[in-house]
Amino acid sequence: MEAIKNYISEHKERFISELIDLLKIPSVSADTAFTQDVLDTADAVKKALTDAGCDAVEICETDGYPIVYAEKIIDSALPTVLVYGHYDVQPADPINLWTSPPFEPVIKKTDKHPEGAIFARGACDDKGQMYMHVKAMEYMVRTNQLPCNVKFMIEGEEEVGSSNLAIFVANHKEKLANDIILISDTGMIANDVPSITTGLRGLSYVEVEVTGPNRDLHSGLYGGAVANPINILTKMIASLHDENNHITIPGFYDNVEELSKEERAEMAKAPFSLENYKNALAIDAVYGESGYTTNERNSIRPTLDVNGIWGGYTGEGAKTVIASKAYAKISMRLVPNQDWKEITDLFKKHFESIAPEGVKVVVKPHHGGQGYVTPINTVGYQAASKAYETTFGKKPIPQRSGGSIPIVALFEKELNSKTILMGFGLDSDAIHSPNEHFGVWNYLKGIETIPYFYQYYTELFKK
Amino acid sequence: MEAIKNYISEHKERFISELIDLLKIPSVSADTAFTQDVLDTADAVKKALTDAGCDAVEICETDGYPIVYAEKIIDSALPTVLVYGHYDVQPADPINLWTSPPFEPVIKKTDKHPEGAIFARGACDDKGQMYMHVKAMEYMVRTNQLPCNVKFMIEGEEEVGSSNLAIFVANHKEKLANDIILISDTGMIANDVPSITTGLRGLSYVEVEVTGPNRDLHSGLYGGAVANPINILTKMIASLHDENNHITIPGFYDNVEELSKEERAEMAKAPFSLENYKNALAIDAVYGESGYTTNERNSIRPTLDVNGIWGGYTGEGAKTVIASKAYAKISMRLVPNQDWKEITDLFKKHFESIAPEGVKVVVKPHHGGQGYVTPINTVGYQAASKAYETTFGKKPIPQRSGGSIPIVALFEKELNSKTILMGFGLDSDAIHSPNEHFGVWNYLKGIETIPYFYQYYTELFKK
């Protein structure tokens, strides 16, 4: 299959420019200011899937943003791969920290991407990685090498919790029936250390509001005499971790899977340099739960982070005010066996219970999802591993990720299929951050690797 | 002096409309977007003082906003009153909580102001209270009843710390020489319970910045493994108070004046209803330092309040990010004997010392000022007390305020003069808050009372 390399080489410029066009549409699902852009992106994805040779490409309406569905069924005796991805992106702010505008993609070289990387919101998460599948499909269809049936399901609400996708999946089990689900929305260790993600953390995302007095007050006249919602909020949030950085919510750890010494020793073999990690982030020390390594803290352990906080006067200069309200967005990353709805309830109950007299507290659950662990002894994993080995020249390492793709656990439940997470991004690609990018090499490598997965999976499946 | 009542009655509409014109100019000194408006307000004040009959009205440039100076010297043998006020105002945000636009003054009736109150940013603090003096001056000059010499010094940076006024005062001691300083920038207990402020708290205002990783990070990939600046900031702020709501900064209370049992018993006699206080703020409980009453907490005790906090994603929806930076604006109200510069240093040293590894902390002092206590056995206090008694029909109560006018201590030091704080606003006038207002009755009552102060002060001074 040197053919794929030649095909990529021939169409490389077009593959890049098509992705750049897709990245220009600001499909920020979290912000209603971008509603039309998100809808336009769905249309663009529909067109791309049609051009790639899919049949029955359709925009499936939901109560939120639509799901783009497509399929190419060549023989019902052959296995069916369901490709999932998302066309929505994270908000771009803080915009002022971008070195180029988030929706005006440019290619720049970086230390890790000497062949250049495409800088744009969504470049890696997930437009770029999703589009690899579209281009791999194009190659397989145009060269008559598609070895099995394929279905595409590309949604527009991954960054806001996929709640409508969950309904869609539950209502279309037959339409979505498949043998294996393939997703590229994760990363790998390094360009010369390929890896396959075998675990994802779950997520519970909430917003809290603390209300004190019914109006903003002069901090001189009222300071010290009434509960200041910001001070209270800081106290409440601070109390959520103890001095060992364990989370203090009663029951939080009840169902946490404890890995054996052997499993932890196996994990510790993954290449990792604490010095490089600290240098890349410009921090003088790491920080986290006592008793666990950095790689354990961000993969096998649950966490609680404030993602945003605001209240009072945040403009230029000084204002001596006691705010009436203070807010925070808080998310918890969960590990397998922790149920996100149960954890959300535990958080809400606990957070409300620690509110002192003098304030009112509201906890509003945003969204969440279960954690997931993929077994590595399946045909799907073996096909993926062999595909990486073919194109990277070395066997990929199985690796647990700290991130969440809430829908993966749901797929298993509703569609009874395992998911293979073939990610081609790097941790340093700044997804969810300013200056998100995706290596051109990685993009093309993904397009090259995916057809091998189809080939090997179909071969192994037959056996 | 029924004459003053008649004069007010005759010119009432003009007095109100002139103040409304002044309130229309958004002289927000904290925000450079309003620079021209602040300068325009200085010009308007200059014109008003000229129209009121002052001589030698001038705009005195500083490194910041100008000071409007005016005087009328009638006889060097007579005492000289220096009137201080400010023409700048607090920022208006949160704008969406105003029931009418902050710079489009309207008169609305309220429970406490059945004759109507002017709603606008600066109505009470301090344009309205400052303008009472301009109109009282007009009355005394036009009716030839000015009994002494008068100087006016109206600044434009009170809400941002008066740092240029301090320089101006130090450099113009002769020009500003006076026997007593008169300020209306405080409040009174109620329209039927007149009071004179005899104590002000000092202030130290700082901004803190906590920096963790060099960029915003994906909270799934890094959550739990690096110090999250927002979580750290909440922990650091929370630790600034202990379980009794004492401030934990080492040395913070070293110079705090402890009042005797007798003094506290005297204070406790001021009319105060905890139920009314809680109802007015819609809170179910007050909150503060153990061992002190509400009125003590907000007057004789130092406090520490967060005035603003921000970091991470604060927009609509959810973003799973670990912010690179988190910020807070923090102010401390100080009591007499606490030196604001020393306290600022103590705060800075302590706050930096409690930063954990993995973050960098910067403490940027904004501004501050010393606390102040006015003796009540002076000619100035007696003249003011008699003036209130004349127009309100009852003797005013001396009262310590929790607020700060940082410049008052400096006046005493540089100009060797005591200050009389004749305030006519109410605590419920929402200064520094949305829907700031100033009772029309209070405005006119101030204009009526001030000339009596001049009269009694000149009489008592001669003795």
Side-chain angles (χ1 to χ4, degrees):
Chain A
M1 248 216 257
E2 272 302 295
I4 174 76
K5 277 200 175 168
N6 294 336
Y7 190 88
I8 290 170
S9 167
E10 199 178 320
H11 298 281
K12 186 178 154 176
E13 299 309 322
R14 177 172 58 82
F15 286 179
I16 295 168
S17 75
E18 284 178 15
L19 174 55
I20 283 178
D21 284 346
L22 194 64
L23 291 168
K24 283 181 182 167
I25 322 177
S27 51
V28 180
S29 51
D31 188 340
T32 47
F34 297 98
T35 299
Q36 190 54 50
D37 298 301
V38 183
L39 296 172
D40 290 348
T41 310
D43 288 337
V45 171
K46 181 186 174 193
K47 183 175 178 307
L49 285 166
T50 307
D51 293 350
C54 288
D55 303 327
V57 187
E58 53 176 322
I59 298 270
C60 305
E61 297 302 335
T62 73
D63 280 352
Y65 289 118
I67 291 155
V68 186
Y69 178 81
E71 60 179 37
K72 187 150 191 95
I73 307 298
I74 54 171
D75 182 346
S76 62
L78 289 167
T80 299
V81 176
L82 173 65
V83 176
Y84 163 81
H86 63 94
Y87 63 81
D88 63 323
V89 301
Q90 280 276 311
D93 57 306
I95 299 241
N96 61 318
L97 295 183
W98 285 76
T99 55
S100 56
F103 299 107
E104 296 174 24
V106 287
I107 296 177
K108 289 182 274 194
K109 290 182 180 175
T110 74
D111 285 352
K112 300 221 169 158
H113 297 297
E115 293 176 42
I118 304 171
F119 280 73
R121 170 56 83 229
C124 182
D125 177 16
D126 182 48
K127 282 176 176 167
Q129 297 216 72
M130 175 269 286
Y131 210 69
M132 296 181 314
H133 288 271
V134 180
K135 294 297 99 180
M137 185 71 179
E138 173 194 309
Y139 163 73
M140 293 184 288
V141 172
R142 292 208 189 160
T143 60
N144 281 315
Q145 300 194 55
L146 185 67
C148 61
N149 305 310
V150 184
K151 295 176 177 176
F152 279 88
M153 176 170 65
I154 313 297
E155 72 151 322
E157 298 186 311
E158 198 272 346
E159 301 295 3
V160 292
S162 304
S163 55
N164 289 300
L165 182 73
I167 298 165
F168 180 80
V169 169
N171 290 339
H172 296 85
K173 290 185 189 181
E174 199 143 332
K175 180 190 191 104
L176 301 171
N178 64 80
D179 297 291
I180 190 88
I181 296 166
L182 187 57
I183 304 180
S184 293
D185 195 16
T186 50
M188 56 182 188
I189 294 172
N191 283 359
D192 56 354
V193 187
S195 61
I196 296 177
T197 301
T198 54
L200 291 166
R201 290 198 283 191
L203 178 74
S204 166
Y205 200 112
V206 302
E207 188 163 320
V208 302
E209 176 192 284
V210 176
T211 304
N214 55 359
R215 58 186 166 91
D216 285 5
L217 299 175
H218 185 292
S219 72
L221 301 182
Y222 292 91
V226 298
N228 175 330
I230 304 179
N231 285 70
I232 299 295
L233 178 61
T234 65
K235 258 193 149 53
M236 292 174 70
I237 291 173
S239 79
L240 297 175
H241 289 94
D242 69 14
E243 65 283 8
N244 293 313
N245 278 311
H246 291 305
I247 293 158
T248 57
I249 299 166
F252 186 83
Y253 291 100
D254 281 1
N255 297 318
V256 167
E257 167 202 47
E258 291 288 345
L259 269 69
S260 67
K261 266 192 182 165
E262 291 68 33
E263 285 173 296
R264 291 176 66 184
E266 193 57 36
M267 270 192 72
K269 287 181 187 162
F272 178 73
S273 157
L274 192 60
E275 275 319 297
N276 289 352
Y277 186 85
K278 290 194 291 184
N279 288 341
L281 302 174
I283 52 177
D284 60 2
V286 291
Y287 186 94
E289 193 182 3
S290 295
Y292 295 91
T293 66
T294 292
N295 274 338
E296 289 172 343
R297 285 167 176 170
N298 68 16
S299 63
I300 62 166
R301 297 299 297 170
T303 60
L304 183 152
D305 274 295
V306 183
N307 302 112
I309 193 167
W310 68 105
Y313 183 66
T314 59
E316 203 185 334
K319 187 176 177 194
T320 47
V321 70
I322 293 180
S324 170
K325 286 173 184 288
Y327 305 85
K329 293 177 195 272
I330 297 174
S331 68
M332 288 158 283
R333 296 285 169 169
L334 310 176
V335 294
N337 301 338
Q338 283 185 299
D339 181 81
W340 78 269
K341 288 187 178 165
E342 197 180 309
I343 292 292
T344 304
D345 286 346
L346 288 177
F347 178 94
K348 185 174 160 70
K349 200 179 296 176
H350 176 67
F351 204 72
E352 287 169 355
S353 79
I354 59 174
E357 278 196 319
V359 300
K360 291 175 206 75
V361 169
V362 176
V363 175
K364 200 176 74 184
H366 257 296
H367 67 276
Q370 310 295 41
Y372 184 70
V373 175
T374 312
I376 64 169
N377 57 358
T378 60
V379 165
Y381 185 85
Q382 286 163 29
S385 180
K386 215 174 151 193
Y388 277 86
E389 207 176 339
T390 303
T391 57
F392 285 79
K394 49 174 98 167
K395 212 176 159 106
I397 296 170
Q399 191 204 26
R400 289 248 202 139
S401 163
S404 305
I405 309 177
I407 210 68
V408 170
L410 184 115
F411 287 161
E412 173 145 7
K413 185 172 157 247
E414 298 285 357
L415 303 177
N416 199 28
S417 305
K418 295 288 176 197
T419 292
I420 299 299
L421 299 161
M422 288 178 72
F424 294 91
L426 300 183
D427 274 7
S428 53
D429 285 349
I431 66 169
H432 292 212
S433 305
N435 307 310
E436 175 178 351
H437 54 279
F438 188 35
V440 169
W441 185 90
N442 302 64
Y443 175 52
L444 300 176
K445 204 66 176 176
I447 299 172
E448 184 188 339
T449 307
I450 292 164
Y452 285 103
F453 172 80
Y454 284 83
Q455 182 192 328
Y456 297 140
Y457 181 71
T458 307
E459 288 170 14
L460 291 164
F461 186 83
K462 283 176 188 163
K463 283 171 190 167
Chain B
M1 253 220 254
E2 271 303 294
I4 175 75
K5 278 201 174 167
N6 295 336
Y7 190 87
I8 289 170
S9 167
E10 199 176 320
H11 298 280
K12 186 179 152 174
E13 299 308 325
R14 178 173 57 83
F15 286 179
I16 294 168
S17 76
E18 284 179 14
L19 175 55
I20 283 177
D21 285 345
L22 193 64
L23 290 168
K24 283 180 183 167
I25 322 178
S27 52
V28 180
S29 52
D31 188 341
T32 47
F34 297 97
T35 300
Q36 191 54 51
D37 298 301
V38 183
L39 296 172
D40 290 349
T41 311
D43 289 337
V45 171
K46 181 186 174 192
K47 183 175 179 306
L49 284 165
T50 307
D51 293 349
C54 288
D55 304 326
V57 188
E58 54 176 321
I59 299 271
C60 306
E61 297 301 337
T62 73
D63 281 351
Y65 289 117
I67 291 155
V68 186
Y69 179 82
E71 61 178 37
K72 187 149 194 97
I73 307 298
I74 56 172
D75 183 346
S76 63
L78 288 166
T80 299
V81 176
L82 173 65
V83 176
Y84 163 82
H86 63 95
Y87 63 82
D88 65 322
V89 301
Q90 279 277 312
D93 57 306
I95 300 240
N96 60 318
L97 296 182
W98 285 76
T99 55
S100 55
F103 299 107
E104 296 173 25
V106 288
I107 296 178
K108 290 182 272 196
K109 290 182 182 177
T110 74
D111 284 353
K112 301 223 167 159
H113 298 295
E115 294 176 43
I118 304 171
F119 280 72
R121 170 56 83 230
C124 182
D125 177 18
D126 178 50
K127 281 176 176 168
Q129 296 216 74
M130 176 269 286
Y131 210 70
M132 299 181 313
H133 289 271
V134 180
K135 294 297 100 180
M137 184 72 181
E138 172 194 309
Y139 163 73
M140 292 185 288
V141 172
R142 294 207 188 158
T143 59
N144 280 316
Q145 297 193 60
L146 185 68
C148 61
N149 306 308
V150 184
K151 296 175 177 176
F152 278 89
M153 175 170 66
I154 312 298
E155 72 151 321
E157 299 186 311
E158 199 270 345
E159 301 293 4
V160 291
S162 304
S163 55
N164 289 301
L165 182 74
I167 297 165
F168 180 81
V169 169
N171 290 339
H172 297 86
K173 291 183 187 181
E174 200 142 327
K175 180 188 191 110
L176 301 171
N178 65 79
D179 296 293
I180 190 89
I181 296 166
L182 188 58
I183 304 180
S184 294
D185 195 16
T186 50
M188 56 182 190
I189 294 172
N191 283 358
D192 57 352
V193 188
S195 61
I196 296 176
T197 300
T198 56
L200 291 167
R201 289 198 283 191
L203 179 72
S204 167
Y205 199 112
V206 300
E207 189 163 319
V208 302
E209 177 192 283
V210 176
T211 305
N214 55 357
R215 59 186 166 91
D216 286 7
L217 299 175
H218 184 291
S219 73
L221 301 183
Y222 293 91
V226 298
N228 176 329
I230 304 178
N231 285 71
I232 299 294
L233 179 61
T234 65
K235 256 193 149 57
M236 292 174 70
I237 291 172
S239 78
L240 297 175
H241 289 94
D242 69 14
E243 66 283 8
N244 294 312
N245 277 312
H246 292 304
I247 293 159
T248 57
I249 300 166
F252 186 83
Y253 291 101
D254 281 1
N255 297 317
V256 167
E257 168 202 51
E258 289 290 344
L259 269 70
S260 66
K261 267 193 181 165
E262 292 68 32
E263 286 172 296
R264 292 176 65 183
E266 193 57 36
M267 269 192 73
K269 287 180 186 161
F272 176 74
S273 156
L274 192 59
E275 276 318 299
N276 290 351
Y277 186 85
K278 290 193 292 184
N279 289 341
L281 302 175
I283 51 178
D284 59 1
V286 291
Y287 186 94
E289 194 183 1
S290 295
Y292 295 92
T293 67
T294 291
N295 275 336
E296 290 171 342
R297 287 169 176 169
N298 68 17
S299 63
I300 62 166
R301 296 300 295 171
T303 59
L304 183 152
D305 273 295
V306 183
N307 302 112
I309 193 166
W310 68 104
Y313 183 66
T314 58
E316 202 185 332
K319 187 179 174 190
T320 47
V321 71
I322 292 180
S324 171
K325 286 172 183 289
Y327 305 84
K329 292 177 195 273
I330 298 174
S331 67
M332 289 158 283
R333 296 286 168 169
L334 311 175
V335 295
N337 301 339
Q338 282 186 299
D339 180 81
W340 78 270
K341 287 186 179 168
E342 199 180 308
I343 292 292
T344 305
D345 286 345
L346 289 177
F347 178 92
K348 186 175 159 68
K349 201 179 296 176
H350 176 67
F351 205 73
E352 288 169 353
S353 79
I354 60 174
E357 277 196 318
V359 300
K360 292 174 207 75
V361 169
V362 175
V363 176
K364 201 175 72 183
H366 257 298
H367 66 277
Q370 311 294 43
Y372 184 71
V373 175
T374 313
I376 65 170
N377 58 0
T378 62
V379 165
Y381 185 86
Q382 286 163 29
S385 180
K386 217 174 148 191
Y388 277 87
E389 206 175 341
T390 304
T391 57
F392 284 80
K394 50 172 95 166
K395 211 177 160 104
I397 296 169
Q399 192 205 26
R400 290 247 201 138
S401 162
S404 306
I405 311 179
I407 211 66
V408 170
L410 185 117
F411 288 161
E412 174 146 7
K413 184 172 157 246
E414 297 285 356
L415 304 176
N416 200 26
S417 304
K418 295 287 178 199
T419 291
I420 300 297
L421 299 162
M422 289 178 70
F424 295 91
L426 301 182
D427 274 4
S428 53
D429 285 349
I431 67 170
H432 292 211
S433 303
N435 306 311
E436 174 177 351
H437 55 280
F438 188 34
V440 170
W441 183 89
N442 302 65
Y443 175 53
L444 301 176
K445 205 66 176 174
I447 299 172
E448 183 189 341
T449 307
I450 291 163
Y452 286 103
F453 171 80
Y454 283 84
Q455 181 192 325
Y456 298 140
Y457 181 70
T458 307
E459 288 170 14
L460 291 164
F461 186 83
K462 282 177 189 158
K463 282 172 191 164

